[in-house]
Amino acid sequence: MGQYSDLKSKCLKANLNIKKHNLAIFTFGNVSLIDRNKKVIAIKPSGVPYEELDEEKIVILDLEGNIIEGSLNPSSDTKTHLYLYLKWDKINSICHTHSTYAVGWSQSLQNVPVFGTTHADHLTQDIPCTTPMEDSLIEGNYELNTGVQIVNHFQKNGLNPEEVQMCLVGSHGPFSWGHNESDSIYNSVVLEEVCKMAFLTKTINPDVKRIKNSLINKHYYRKHGKDSYYGQ
């Protein structure tokens, strides 16, 4: 057993969960994990179908993007993942998908409003959508600049990535993260479902407003914080 076998195993299972939860088709999407003690990340290889993935194909890189273990090219989104790990030291896994409703909202360039309690169970605020990337950044180090785009949007809008563990990159698609790979996948599934619900809500009633703050706070804080009482 190699020194990265556990990291590879977790990364493989997380990436297979993208397919299991219908968050992407063909080769779309990727999950990464970081081992901050060993200063390496594990990530899906680029362009490999999920049904062909195994532990041997998972790529291990150092935090500068150099391949430590693996014979395949890492995900084309690797630099985005590395930048987020560098800037946000409390996150340990990142998931990027092209799930239908989340991409739809990304392409609309609109935040996803808190329309109901399902959303409020996870966030007290709208799911943020970044502005489209400037041409100079697209033509530059595009994948790195996608990470810059996300971090800058959070800083500009006073968002805490430990509280808001998901976002939409304008004209691109969703990213989510968490303390481990289960969190990042869970947040991706929730993001897609909330985007679907919001789309249906707007379709039924285009003039619908955000729910009351009192209801948002009730649902969020009964699950989160020192006075939470949801679950066992």
Side-chain angles (χ1 to χ4, degrees):
M1 299 289 286
Q3 63 172 317
Y4 304 119
S5 59
D6 184 55
L7 193 65
K8 284 186 171 184
S9 176
K10 290 178 179 178
C11 188
L12 172 63
K13 291 176 182 178
N15 276 284
L16 292 179
N17 272 325
I18 288 180
K19 188 70 171 178
K20 176 182 177 182
H21 293 293
N22 298 312
L23 296 173
I25 60 173
F26 300 120
T27 65
F28 300 4
N30 45 74
V31 180
S32 71
L33 287 78
I34 187 170
D35 185 323
R36 292 192 180 274
N37 292 323
K38 294 179 180 178
K39 298 182 179 179
V40 297
I41 73 163
I43 197 166
K44 179 183 178 290
S46 179
V48 176
Y50 290 96
E51 56 270 20
E52 296 178 14
L53 276 183
D54 56 33
E55 284 187 31
E56 187 176 345
K57 291 185 175 71
I58 299 298
V59 186
I60 302 293
L61 306 101
D62 66 21
L63 301 188
E64 294 182 352
N66 301 304
I67 295 177
I68 302 297
E69 194 170 293
S71 58
L72 301 176
N73 293 325
S75 165
S76 58
D77 297 305
T78 295
K79 290 182 179 179
T80 307
H81 290 240
L82 287 169
Y83 188 83
L84 294 179
Y85 287 132
L86 173 66
K87 293 297 183 179
W88 294 340
D89 60 6
K90 296 297 191 297
I91 69 171
N92 297 306
S93 180
I94 297 166
C95 179
H96 170 51
T97 78
H98 288 261
S99 57
T100 305
Y101 287 89
V103 168
W105 280 94
S106 300
Q107 292 176 171
S108 78
L109 303 178
Q110 295 185 41
N111 296 339
V112 183
V114 189
F115 285 139
T117 60
T118 308
H119 187 147
D121 281 338
H122 299 89
L123 287 172
T124 61
Q125 53 201 292
D126 299 350
I127 297 169
C129 182
T130 74
T131 56
M133 190 182 293
E134 296 177 6
D135 288 348
S136 61
L137 299 180
I138 295 171
E139 294 161 3
N141 196 335
Y142 174 69
E143 288 78 17
L144 174 66
N145 288 332
T146 300
V148 174
Q149 183 182 16
I150 294 169
V151 170
N152 286 352
H153 187 84
F154 270 61
Q155 290 176 341
K156 180 180 178 181
N157 292 280
L159 300 173
N160 182 347
E162 292 185 61
E163 295 178 0
V164 182
Q165 297 184 329
M166 56 186 71
C167 81
L168 305 172
V169 175
S171 306
H172 185 172
F175 283 81
S176 67
W177 48 85
H179 297 296
N180 54 48
E181 71 280 5
S182 297
D183 286 349
S184 66
I185 286 289
Y186 176 86
N187 288 330
S188 283
V189 174
V190 168
L191 172 57
E192 174 64 6
E193 193 67 15
V194 169
C195 285
K196 182 178 181 179
M197 292 174 178
F199 170 78
L200 292 172
T201 301
K202 286 284 284 184
T203 301
I204 296 166
N205 180 4
D207 299 321
V208 66
K209 306 297 183 184
R210 297 168 87 254
I211 65 172
K212 298 187 296 184
N213 286 333
S214 59
L215 195 51
I216 292 174
N217 290 331
K218 169 55 72 175
H219 270 261
Y220 184 81
Y221 290 108
R222 72 176 186 163
K223 277 193 170 187
H224 307 274
K226 62 182 179 64
D227 296 322
S228 62
Y229 57 88
Y230 175 88
Q232 303 304 315

